[in-house]
Amino acid sequence: MTKTISNSEPLNVESIIDSWKGRNGSLLGALEQAQQNDPKKYLSETTLREISKRLDIPLSRVYSVATFYSFFSLKPQGEHLLIVCRGTACHTRGSLVLLNEALSRLKIKEFNEKEENSVTSSDNLITIRTVACFGQCALAPVIMVDGLVLSRMTVSKLVSLLDKLKKGGER
Ligand code: FES
């Protein structure tokens, strides 16, 4: 019997991987869908090994793709994802102030952006991640919240956004 893939039902990782067998872009597709379906929105070592085995792709290649794209996370992520651009244009327009404000509001004390690119609040509500550039430098400083790009961000807009997320609201 063939299993139908739909967005409305939770899928196990084996079904996801098998649905990508023999298709173009199978590795990227399986990684992306596996991460989206994971309750903690990340790729565990078990998932990476399963993808390697079921798609017959060397584990080293699976790892190199999963670590190359900043979209993928090898650590559990929070309910919401806040990405702060730390490229030159955004930096000169105050992205470090935005990043520090977000860290402080979420009571995150330990984060060294030179050593890691993401950190999650202790209540697992928000993961903060940094990127090198969104390609929207003219609109700096730029952040992204749950996939939505927000330009010309200010501290006051960021604070109200974080308050809404904490209260369980949308962006
Ligand atoms: S440096 Fe931030 S969008 Fe380019």
Side-chain angles (χ1 to χ4, degrees):
M1 188 165 71
T2 308
K3 182 157 176 52
T4 305
I5 303 297
S6 86
N7 290 332
S8 57
E9 63 180 285
L11 299 169
N12 63 38
V13 74
E14 292 83 6
S15 309
I16 290 170
I17 300 165
D18 289 348
S19 77
W20 282 96
K21 273 184 185 166
R23 290 166 64 185
N24 284 340
S26 61
L27 178 52
L28 274 176
L31 287 168
E32 185 177 356
Q33 201 175 4
Q35 179 168 296
Q36 280 170 352
N37 272 269
D38 185 275
K40 294 185 177 169
K41 298 176 194 164
Y42 84 114
L43 297 165
S44 66
E45 183 181 338
T46 307
T47 297
L48 295 176
R49 287 186 180 279
E50 201 64 25
I51 287 174
S52 166
K53 189 175 85 184
R54 287 179 177 262
L55 294 183
D56 196 22
I57 294 172
L59 186 59
S60 58
R61 182 152 166 254
V62 175
Y63 262 102
S64 76
V65 170
T67 52
F68 178 79
Y69 292 98
S70 62
F71 167 80
F72 296 124
S73 177
L74 302 189
K75 293 191 296 187
Q77 301 194 87
E79 211 176 301
H80 300 283
L81 178 61
L82 166 66
I83 306 178
V84 180
C85 179
R86 294 288 295 124
T88 306
C90 288
H91 179 74
T92 56
R93 293 199 182 180
S95 71
L96 183 57
V97 176
L98 294 174
L99 176 62
N100 286 337
E101 185 69 30
L103 292 168
S104 156
R105 296 258 161 191
L106 295 170
K107 300 184 173 35
I108 297 170
K109 294 192 177 92
E110 301 284 321
F111 179 60
N112 183 343
E113 63 175 315
K114 292 199 172 81
E115 290 174 8
E116 54 192 344
N117 76 344
S118 76
V119 64
T120 299
S121 59
S122 59
D123 58 3
N124 286 321
L125 182 67
I126 298 176
T127 292
I128 298 177
R129 179 177 285 203
T130 56
V131 289
C133 182
F134 279 123
Q136 304 204 16
C137 309
L139 303 173
V142 181
I143 68 168
M144 183 186 278
V145 181
D146 295 337
L148 181 72
V149 174
L150 301 170
S151 57
R152 298 201 172 97
M153 184 51 51
T154 63
V155 168
S156 64
K157 283 197 253 179
L158 177 68
V159 168
S160 83
L161 177 87
L162 290 171
D163 284 346
K164 274 188 206 159
L165 294 179
K166 283 184 193 169
K167 287 176 188 155
E170 296 294 311
R171 314 165 285 267

